[in-house]
Amino acid sequence: MITQPNHVPERLGLLATSAVDPFLTEELLKGEQVHGGIDLAKLVEPLPEEDARWWVEPIRSLVEDAMFEFREDRTRADAWLAPRLHATLRLTRREAADKRLWNHVALAVAPDYVAWRHLSEPTAKRPERRIAAERFRGPADRQCFSRLWWAAELFRNGPDYEPVEVACGNQDLIHTVLRMELIDHRPTAQALVRLLKGGKVSGGREVNGLSVAINAAGATLIYDILGPDQPRDPLHLRDWIAEAESAPPVERYELPKGPDEEPAPEESVAALTSYFADLFETAPVRGRKLGD
């Protein structure tokens, strides 16, 4: 397994996707050898030096702890790392939508974590171990770090990251649901977590079936009417980001706190949880007979 590059930058930067591909060598994608880091650094656009959020050390510390703590079960690292990455790298959504930032995190800061987490196990059909290139520079729902940050952003309930742990503990949920535009509706996100936490929905087929049903119903039903949300005050997010300079490292054994926003309205979450539970009864789940 590869280690971190010889040269790891001190600060985050922006790495254009067009500059990434030459460094996605066969040796890297097989988890055998990583680039040195110096040549890559020449292609990075620096971020403002006065902003404390761009220090690399807190992110390196997190991924190293994750690799040690979850060395026996790599998939469990997602639920642990997602809220802590989000609370460490305090971004606006506009900043988080910039793929260049995540390219830099994955390829310059922590390619060893990408390899550790996403190097496939050999199978009869695919005996060669390999990392999908999209884990370094792919879409937001597939790239190693952006998928975790966005899962935390969309599933947190105000400052509470506990729903993020639940959501990221189910690979099928974050793989499927992050592609749904409806997930940006907070009561919808919280209702899905409640169904998962309550055991109403569990396996991949069930998650996929419910997702299809929710999307189909959403074409004719506006969920904001059934479960209205309240506009979020941007001041809370701005204050939380401004506190990054003085914020201590995130706790390893307790969940951090997110922006001090109001949670999704309880009555809306309850209404949608009940509605989705009823919807799931007739959802097209492969291998399940209606009435099971």
Side-chain angles (χ1 to χ4, degrees), residues 155 166-174 176-177 180 188-214 272-286 288 292:
F155 281 106
V166 177
C168 291
N170 186 297
Q171 294 297 304
D172 297 293
L173 186 71
I174 56 176
T176 302
V177 173
M180 297 168 52
T188 293
Q190 296 309 311
L192 285 170
V193 168
R194 288 196 183 178
L195 290 175
L196 193 67
K197 189 175 181 180
K200 299 289 186 182
V201 178
S202 56
R205 292 180 180 181
E206 294 179 344
V207 169
N208 291 335
L210 179 59
S211 299
V212 169
I214 290 174
L272 285 175
T273 301
S274 176
Y275 179 77
F276 291 159
D278 291 342
L279 200 62
F280 180 64
E281 294 299 319
T282 57
V285 177
R286 187 161 58 91
R288 182 186 74 172
D292 285 357

Side-chain angles (χ1 to χ4, degrees), residues 207-273:
V207 169
N208 291 335
L210 179 59
S211 299
V212 169
I214 290 174
N215 269 333
T220 56
L221 176 71
I222 301 176
Y223 290 137
D224 199 37
I225 295 176
L226 190 61
D229 196 5
Q230 300 171 347
R232 286 185 281 192
D233 186 346
L235 180 62
H236 296 301
L237 178 63
R238 287 199 295 267
D239 289 345
W240 186 69
I241 290 175
E243 292 166 2
E245 185 170 3
S246 59
V250 296
E251 291 285 343
R252 269 35 176 183
Y253 298 103
E254 295 181 8
L255 283 172
K257 295 290 185 183
D260 190 23
E261 300 171 344
E262 288 295 322
E266 172 57 30
E267 59 275 16
S268 296
V269 177
L272 285 175
T273 301

Side-chain angles (χ1 to χ4, degrees), residues 36-48:
I38 295 294
D39 290 338
L40 182 68
K42 300 173 183 176
L43 305 174
V44 175
E45 178 183 336
L47 288 164

Side-chain angles (χ1 to χ4, degrees), residues 1-9 23 25 27-37 40 60 63-64 67 105-117 119 131 136 145:
M1 184 70 72
I2 65 173
T3 61
Q4 67 185 57
N6 293 330
H7 171 76
V8 175
F23 294 90
T25 63
E27 290 78 12
L28 176 59
L29 296 179
K30 291 178 181 179
E32 297 173 350
Q33 183 177 351
V34 72
H35 58 85
L40 182 68
R60 274 300 321 176
V63 300
E64 288 170 9
M67 287 189 286
V105 175
L107 200 57
V109 176
D112 51 328
Y113 182 85
V114 181
W116 175 84
R117 174 62 184 86
L119 186 64
I131 311 160
F136 289 98
F145 294 103

Side-chain angles (χ1 to χ4, degrees), residues 56-135:
V56 159
E57 192 280 329
I59 297 175
R60 274 300 321 176
S61 179
L62 276 179
V63 300
E64 288 170 9
D65 286 350
M67 287 189 286
F68 176 79
E69 186 69 25
F70 300 100
R71 58 194 180 279
E72 302 297 331
D73 189 352
R74 295 174 299 166
T75 59
R76 290 181 54 222
D78 288 353
W80 183 89
L81 184 56
R84 290 168 176 84
L85 177 66
H86 187 275
T88 297
L89 195 50
R90 302 186 180 193
L91 305 172
T92 65
R93 288 190 174 190
R94 183 173 182 174
E95 289 170 332
D98 191 337
K99 292 182 179 180
R100 296 176 300 167
L101 177 66
W102 302 115
N103 291 342
H104 191 245
V105 175
L107 200 57
V109 176
D112 51 328
Y113 182 85
V114 181
W116 175 84
R117 174 62 184 86
H118 293 292
L119 186 64
S120 63
E121 295 297 334
T123 64
K125 293 184 177 180
R126 187 177 296 176
E128 183 180 71
R129 303 184 76 196
R130 194 173 182 83
I131 311 160
E134 63 187 2
R135 297 301 186 180

